[in-house]
Amino acid sequence: HLELVENKHVLEEVSSLFSEITGGRQQPAVVRSASIGRSGAALPGSRYDTAPLLGRTDTSSRRSIGSMDAARAGDGLDFDVEAGPSIGHDINVGFITGVISRDRISTLERVLWRSLRGNMFLNYVDIEEPIHDPKQDGPVYKSAFIVFAHGESLRDRATKIAESLGATLYHVDSSAERRQEELIDTMSRIDDLHQILENNNVARINELTSVSEQINTWFTVVRKEKATYHTLNLCNYDANRNCLIAEGWCATNDIAAVQSALHIATEDAGSNVPTVLQELRTTKEPPTFIRTNRFTDGFQSIVDAYGVPKAGEVNPGLFTCITFPFLFALMFGDLGHGFLMTLCAGLLCFYERKLVWMAKDESMRMFYSGRYIVLLMGIFSMYTGFLYNDIFSRAMGFFASGWVWPTDTGGEGVTVEATKLAHTYAIGIDPAWHHANNSLLFTNSYKMKMSIVLGVIHMTLGICLQVPN
């Protein structure tokens, strides 16, 4: 299609270029006699100096450079640019035509002028409509050009130069009648091609519309068929009994469910041959199977990240459901922040079916799968924050303090000691410690002792789990 469109523009513009060169007359053709000197330039005083062949047209879209004085055929040689075979027979002046990108036409002018040493005549016209170029995947503005040169050697050199600059050359006959016939034929072929493309586009749209209605069904069928063949490839073929034998592991409690599923599949397939399930005795070590649910799945993933217990061993994932969020709360204890965590995780758990799309998002998948972990961490953080008497890093006074500060502070820079009362704070750390200068020493000592006690308990639990393992 690109070649036909460019050839059409070449045929349309070449006729105007020929008309411009011949002074706008097609019949009879303009004949010019040039007196050529030894230097290759037209001799002054020639009676044909005013002929339009060497004229330069002052238009915005057409330009011509060069001269036909390189013919070097001697004085008094007559030639006609549309004389057909006589032009090549007498002085061997030929031409090449084609199209080139508009931004390279000036480069083509300079290179041809210097390479052919001025023994050429170039004329071109800018194509108004942009041409869609598949190589550049977009519209490109181009120009149609014609180059006259004397001798086949110069024409070959001009051809190579034009092709090296990305020009596309097309054969154009020197006869106006043949050019008109070629133009009509080219336009007819373009119309036929447009009709073919339009029909193919309509057929493609109809076919794609029909396919789009069934594409989901095809995907489902292909996935099922792929899964079926993948499962069959896992089985061993017994040629003697002409059957497939599948060996695998399943939980002991699920044997009845597997038999029921095989029975239902046999009935749905309409097979008269029943499927036989037989339990095998083996000395191989069975794989680990841990049954989880939505609540325990996140905690089990944490345990599996460090190591998967062997079959028959005690699964520490059950204890992790309590120890992991509690140890987190010991470090994060704050009633206010713990409440915000509990609120967000509670919303995720309550609307988990509506927010299932988060499981497919890479950035939100971890937060969604660990929603129950965050929920317990928030609850335990609220508990430890209540024990630390801390809400958004502020003290709380739910109960009466066991310390009292004197009313007389003694002025700035004087150290004041609180007086111990007969009772103690009911639950947690006394809020009076939040205003004391030595509160950091007290809380660090308190939490260090608590961490040692809880660490010993945690390690003891781990050692006790090694006994049944």
Side-chain angles (χ1 to χ4, degrees), residues 339-379:
F339 174 76
L340 295 179
M341 288 182 61
T342 305
L343 180 62
C344 294
L347 292 176
L348 280 178
C349 296
F350 186 78
Y351 296 104
E352 60 181 8
R353 293 186 178 180
K354 295 182 179 180
L355 300 176
V356 70
W357 59 268
M358 297 176 62
K360 301 179 181 180
D361 187 77
E362 185 177 358
S363 59
M364 303 296 294
R365 184 185 306 158
M366 182 179 296
F367 189 65
Y368 178 79
S369 60
R371 59 192 181 279
Y372 289 102
I373 301 177
V374 178
L375 178 64
L376 289 185
M377 288 193 302
I379 294 175

Side-chain angles (χ1 to χ4, degrees), residues 150-428:
H150 169 64
E152 188 172 350
S153 176
L154 296 181
R155 290 198 301 271
D156 292 342
R157 191 184 305 176
T159 300
K160 293 179 180 179
I161 293 174
E163 291 178 346
S164 65
L165 293 177
T168 306
L169 303 181
Y170 295 94
H171 173 72
V172 176
D173 198 281
S174 60
S175 173
E177 291 79 6
R178 293 182 181 178
R179 290 198 304 270
Q180 186 66 22
E181 293 176 358
E182 292 180 0
L183 178 60
I184 295 174
D185 180 67
T186 302
M187 296 182 67
S188 176
R189 293 174 60 186
I190 292 177
D191 294 338
D192 294 341
L193 186 58
H194 284 167
Q195 186 65 29
I196 293 174
L197 292 177
E198 184 178 355
N199 294 337
N200 290 341
N201 189 29
V202 173
R204 185 174 65 253
I205 293 175
N206 295 335
E207 188 68 21
L208 292 177
T209 303
S210 176
V211 169
S212 64
E213 297 175 354
Q214 305 178 10
I215 189 68
N216 293 329
T217 304
W218 292 353
F219 274 130
T220 303
V221 172
V222 170
R223 290 192 184 101
K224 289 182 177 180
E225 187 174 359
K226 179 182 178 181
T228 301
Y229 283 110
H230 177 72
T231 305
L232 292 176
N233 289 333
L234 299 177
C235 303
N236 298 322
Y237 178 69
D238 191 346
N240 296 328
R241 291 180 288 182
N242 194 21
C243 64
L244 293 174
I245 300 176
E247 296 180 357
W249 298 90
C250 73
T252 305
N253 299 334
D254 294 338
I255 293 180
V258 174
Q259 288 178 339
S260 177
L262 292 175
H263 180 69
I264 294 174
T266 303
E267 291 181 351
D268 293 343
S271 176
N272 297 326
V273 180
T275 303
V276 179
L277 176 63
Q278 182 180 358
E279 185 178 354
L280 301 177
R281 300 297 178 181
T282 179
T283 57
K284 295 181 179 180
E285 182 180 355
T288 303
F289 173 71
I290 301 175
R291 199 184 303 274
T292 59
N293 51 33
R294 292 178 297 179
F295 179 79
T296 61
D297 183 67
F299 296 99
Q300 189 62 48
S301 299
I302 297 176
V303 176
D304 293 342
Y306 292 93
V308 180
K310 296 181 180 180
E313 292 184 349
V314 177
N315 180 25
L318 180 62
F319 305 96
T320 307
C321 297
I322 300 299
T323 59
F324 182 82
F326 181 70
L327 292 177
F328 170 83
L330 292 178
M331 300 177 289
F332 187 76
D334 189 287
L335 183 60
H337 292 99
F339 174 76
L340 295 179
M341 288 182 61
T342 305
L343 180 62
C344 294
L347 292 176
L348 280 178
C349 296
F350 186 78
Y351 296 104
E352 60 181 8
R353 293 186 178 180
K354 295 182 179 180
L355 300 176
V356 70
W357 59 268
M358 297 176 62
K360 301 179 181 180
D361 187 77
E362 185 177 358
S363 59
M364 303 296 294
R365 184 185 306 158
M366 182 179 296
F367 189 65
Y368 178 79
S369 60
R371 59 192 181 279
Y372 289 102
I373 301 177
V374 178
L375 178 64
L376 289 185
M377 288 193 302
I379 294 175
F380 280 104
S381 296
M382 292 176 62
Y383 172 70
T384 55
F386 182 74
L387 293 181
Y388 295 159
N389 202 351
D390 198 359
I391 176 171
F392 295 115
S393 300
R394 304 288 295 180
M396 299 179 295
F398 291 117
F399 308 101
S401 175
W403 299 83
V404 61
W405 295 95
T407 56
D408 186 11
T409 59
E412 185 178 356
V414 178
T415 303
V416 179
E417 295 184 2
T419 305
K420 182 71 171 69
L421 301 179
H423 66 278
T424 58
Y425 195 73
I427 300 176

